[in-house]
Amino acid sequence: MKKEQTRREFLKKSIGATALLGFPTIIPSSVLGQNGNVAPSNRVTISVVGCGSRSQSCWAYKNNPKSEIVAVCDPFIDRQIERAAEWDVADTYTDFREVLAREDIDGVHVVTPDHWHVPISLATARAGKDVYCEKPLGVSIEQDLVAREIVERYGRVFQYGTQQRSSDACRLGLELVLNGHIGEVQEVFVWAPGGGWGGDGTAQPVPEGFDYDLWLGPAPEAPYSPDRVSYKGAWFIYDYAIGFIAGWGAHPLDILQWWADREGLGIPVEYKTTGRIPTDGLYDTAINWHMDARYPNGTKLTFIDTRWARKEDAKIPEGMKGAVAEIGNGTFFVGKNGWVSISRGAFRASSEELRRKAKDPGPVRLPISRNHMGNFVDCIISREEPISGLETGIKSDIISQLGDIGIRTGETVGWDPVKETVVGSSDAMAMMQRKMRPPWTL
């Protein structure tokens, strides 16, 4: 592991030495934290683990005066170098365990393929650091449930990467629903982009500067091919993910769960899901799906992919069709007195009168965040619950997992919310876990 004098150590030594020598000391206000600046010694230190395209969002830490990126990590050495140069970061790593061994890091942003999300998040918590984990959460229900240790056992701050919670439009639209302006919610529709197919799995030599064995980690042994380790491979190969039913569905399902948590509904207890899984090519996650689910109180949930939703004969509410045509994902609430549609950065309502009520929706208000990573930094400092905490991420991810299990077994899947287990099918229950390649474990 690379070792470097930390900013805290530098300031302590340099300021202390100057005072001992009796020289007059002139320290810039940026060091002392004056004039609105935050002293480097007080900034939250972040390491970014995973330097692919999604890591570009971590510019938010560079632009936040309360935080700084002190290390980057990726099995691709060229990605490490590119991000380090872009962010002016001195320390680069291939193995995330070297990052976690550093005592000067406060938080870790996990931007890896999905199969690494929970294992690295758990290791980060055990190392005494806080976690920002990109969505989706785990690649199995078992991983989702074990992830609770991050908060319950280790007391770490956990921010889930469902950034729509930090959107004013999503918050305002949901407050309309929670304050009863559409009446009792009778049904909810969720839609998200379908998956991809294809991919060439022909074995090729592992390129120099890439730790392929570490990239695979807990996933099964497999021959290297460029398509396997591409972003599409990370999204659409079942060994590493369950596809966009979770990978993109996490965003609109999170808005659904924000509502369900406030209403005390938990998650649906019955799932009938059909879909299509490609059999040609490398990619083998669901590319189409149609889920009909039921909450304990009888409220219906329909979760479909965008292609399905855009069919001329799609059985969706008339008001939803315009939102589906314009935006690739969203959450549509149907009540006795109207509807509200919430999508990325926008919300619609069944009438202009209803929409205007968002300015003053009523007494039920949701917490406000306008910068998802900034909220994470603030919560590292305050130790408060972030806008998108772990428990809600567990619930919404399990919905995706149960849908995928239903597609693969062809069965209606039941869920026991007390025991938190699949019921009614031994085949479906067996799919709650995934084997991990030694020596990796949860």
Side-chain angles (χ1 to χ4, degrees), residues 152-272:
E152 293 183 355
R153 182 174 180 181
Y154 298 101
R156 308 318 307 171
V157 169
F158 182 97
Q159 177 80 300
Y160 195 35
T162 46
Q163 294 85 6
Q164 288 184 187
R165 288 209 183 188
S166 293
S167 159
D168 282 345
C170 292
R171 174 176 50 80
L172 292 171
L174 194 55
E175 286 177 345
L176 282 175
V177 178
L178 290 170
N179 281 283
H181 292 292
I182 64 172
E184 182 181 354
V185 174
Q186 299 173 321
E187 189 168 7
V188 185
F189 291 81
V190 174
W191 73 99
W197 56 91
D200 184 356
T202 304
Q204 296 188 27
V206 177
E208 187 177 350
F210 174 44
D211 190 334
Y212 178 55
D213 184 70
L214 186 59
W215 187 94
L216 285 174
E221 192 76 39
Y224 168 83
S225 75
D227 281 357
R228 182 176 294 278
V229 301
S230 68
Y231 68 93
K232 285 188 176 181
W235 288 344
F236 302 137
I237 297 176
Y238 189 66
D239 284 344
Y240 320 126
I242 67 169
F244 273 1
I245 193 171
W248 204 298
H251 285 302
L253 286 173
D254 181 67
I255 298 300
L256 167 79
Q257 200 58 49
W258 211 3
W259 164 78
D261 286 342
R262 292 301 294 255
E263 297 288 4
L265 288 178
I267 67 171
V269 292
E270 184 179 84
Y271 300 77
K272 183 177 181 180

Side-chain angles (χ1 to χ4, degrees), residues 152-390:
E152 293 183 355
R153 182 174 180 181
Y154 298 101
R156 308 318 307 171
V157 169
F158 182 97
Q159 177 80 300
Y160 195 35
T162 46
Q163 294 85 6
Q164 288 184 187
R165 288 209 183 188
S166 293
S167 159
D168 282 345
C170 292
R171 174 176 50 80
L172 292 171
L174 194 55
E175 286 177 345
L176 282 175
V177 178
L178 290 170
N179 281 283
H181 292 292
I182 64 172
E184 182 181 354
V185 174
Q186 299 173 321
E187 189 168 7
V188 185
F189 291 81
V190 174
W191 73 99
W197 56 91
D200 184 356
T202 304
Q204 296 188 27
V206 177
E208 187 177 350
F210 174 44
D211 190 334
Y212 178 55
D213 184 70
L214 186 59
W215 187 94
L216 285 174
E221 192 76 39
Y224 168 83
S225 75
D227 281 357
R228 182 176 294 278
V229 301
S230 68
Y231 68 93
K232 285 188 176 181
W235 288 344
F236 302 137
I237 297 176
Y238 189 66
D239 284 344
Y240 320 126
I242 67 169
F244 273 1
I245 193 171
W248 204 298
H251 285 302
L253 286 173
D254 181 67
I255 298 300
L256 167 79
Q257 200 58 49
W258 211 3
W259 164 78
D261 286 342
R262 292 301 294 255
E263 297 288 4
L265 288 178
I267 67 171
V269 292
E270 184 179 84
Y271 300 77
K272 183 177 181 180
T273 313
T274 57
R276 185 161 66 95
I277 295 174
T279 55
D280 297 328
L282 189 60
Y283 307 148
D284 58 351
T285 58
I287 57 176
N288 297 111
W289 64 87
H290 187 293
M291 173 195 292
D292 289 313
R294 178 182 56 80
Y295 283 91
N297 70 348
T299 301
K300 296 178 181 179
L301 166 66
T302 301
F303 178 26
I304 52 182
D305 72 272
T306 307
R307 294 188 195 99
W308 206 319
R310 287 176 177 169
K311 290 181 179 180
E312 289 186 9
D313 59 348
K315 295 179 180 179
I316 60 175
E318 192 63 33
M320 178 178 163
K321 292 180 179 179
V324 169
E326 292 182 23
I327 302 177
N329 73 96
T331 313
F332 191 91
F333 295 91
V334 180
K336 291 182 178 180
N337 303 326
W339 55 261
V340 168
S341 179
I342 301 171
S343 304
R344 293 177 73 87
F347 79 89
R348 294 170 170 81
S350 51
S351 70
E352 184 58 31
E353 179 185 6
L354 174 58
R355 180 179 170 79
R356 285 197 297 267
K357 290 181 180 179
K359 295 179 180 179
D360 185 16
V364 181
R365 297 298 177 97
L366 295 167
I368 298 174
S369 165
R370 294 189 172 93
N371 185 306
H372 214 58
M373 293 168 200
N375 177 252
F376 175 53
V377 169
D378 288 343
C379 290
I380 289 177
I381 297 168
S382 69
R383 312 313 296 171
E384 294 179 357
E385 173 83 1
I387 190 73
S388 191
L390 176 58

Side-chain angles (χ1 to χ4, degrees), residues 1-2 92-102 105:
M1 181 182 70
K2 296 181 181 179
T92 63
Y93 300 87
T94 298
D95 193 325
F96 69 91
R97 291 168 293 188
E98 294 185 63
V99 173
L100 300 185
R102 286 180 53 160
I105 291 174

Side-chain angles (χ1 to χ4, degrees), residues 114-115 137-141 143-144 239-242 397 401 434:
D114 300 357
H115 69 291
L137 190 54
V139 293
S140 70
I141 292 174
Q143 287 195 2
D144 290 340
D239 284 344
Y240 320 126
I242 67 169
D397 202 62
Q401 297 287 345
R434 289 208 198 193

Side-chain angles (χ1 to χ4, degrees), residues 15 17 72 105 132 148 183 202 351 384 389 422:
I15 295 173
V72 296
I105 291 174
Y132 183 119
R148 278 206 182 106
T202 304
S351 70
E384 294 179 357
V422 169

